[in-house]
Amino acid sequence: MEEGQQEERIPYHILLRDFVTLQEERVQGYQRLEQALKTVLENHDIEHYQATVRDITDYFGRISSEIIEIEEKIRANYQRRIQLADQIRQIQECEREKLLLTTQLHMLRSQGDQADGEALCETLTRLEEVIEEINDIFSPIRYALSREKARIEGLRAIIDS
């Protein structure tokens, strides 16, 4: 963008929609990671797992960058929606912890019978807590998106009539 030019303000509902889509993409990334772990445990194909981890790390990095942009746009353009930006930041922090815990869990699971059972249990418990926290924070965002879509549809109906 050229100096002195202002960035076009993206509608609030579009930012919400994009955030929800990115979160859904993140879930797909975790599914790929879990599938790669299954493959390594069944076939001992560590190279496939390592390649998948590299790809997923890049994938999550891209998603995280885009989500940070969304958060910044909300903070800059929608002062009444700062709470939403705070929730997005909380989800980002939880997602960071979730990825670390998932990695720890994968390392423990790959040790098979030699894995520390207590560490495995603690990691799994904390991972479940973090996932629940993400869902608790994410739920109102999904609701806000639904409300915003309904509001826009109502306005369109008024305009069309």
Side-chain angles (χ1 to χ4, degrees):
M1 183 179 334
E2 290 182 26
E3 194 174 317
Q5 230 182 3
Q6 281 192 323
E7 184 177 348
E8 186 176 327
R9 182 173 160 166
I10 297 172
Y12 173 69
H13 73 281
I14 300 294
L15 293 171
L16 277 177
R17 182 204 63 199
D18 290 351
F19 173 71
V20 169
T21 299
L22 289 165
Q23 276 300 106
E24 291 168 353
E25 287 179 21
R26 217 180 232 157
V27 169
Q28 292 170 0
Y30 278 108
Q31 291 169 348
R32 285 179 46 206
L33 200 54
E34 283 300 317
Q35 186 58 46
L37 179 63
K38 284 181 184 177
T39 301
V40 80
L41 293 176
E42 292 170 1
N43 306 330
H44 306 288
D45 186 357
I46 192 73
E47 291 169 6
H48 171 73
Y49 180 74
Q50 290 171 335
T52 302
V53 168
R54 280 191 301 274
D55 290 346
I56 293 297
T57 300
D58 292 343
Y59 183 70
F60 284 160
R62 179 193 58 81
I63 289 171
S64 185
S65 294
E66 289 182 36
I67 288 175
I68 289 169
E69 279 184 40
I70 290 170
E71 177 199 345
E72 289 171 351
K73 287 176 182 175
I74 291 170
R75 285 188 192 285
N77 297 310
Y78 298 96
Q79 295 301 312
R80 293 181 27 226
R81 310 288 187 177
I82 294 299
Q83 181 180 3
L84 173 68
D86 292 341
Q87 290 169 319
I88 290 172
R89 181 168 291 165
Q90 287 176 310
I91 289 174
Q92 283 288 90
E93 291 167 3
C94 288
E95 288 289 355
R96 197 171 301 120
E97 184 177 3
K98 179 182 174 186
L99 183 56
L100 288 172
L101 290 165
T102 299
T103 304
Q104 289 173 359
L105 186 62
H106 283 198
M107 289 175 58
L108 289 166
R109 286 174 58 196
S110 70
Q111 295 171 2
D113 293 339
Q114 298 173 4
D116 178 349
E118 188 175 329
L120 188 63
C121 188
E122 287 174 4
T123 303
L124 187 56
T125 300
R126 181 62 191 141
L127 181 59
E128 290 169 349
E129 292 170 352
V130 170
I131 291 169
E132 186 175 332
E133 188 175 347
I134 290 168
N135 289 335
D136 287 349
I137 299 167
F138 190 57
S139 184
I141 294 172
R142 274 197 167 146
Y143 178 71
L145 178 58
S146 295
R147 271 194 341 254
E148 198 63 21
K149 282 181 179 179
R151 186 185 70 78
I152 290 168
E153 288 173 14
L155 290 172
R156 283 187 181 141
I158 292 169
I159 291 170
D160 292 342
S161 59

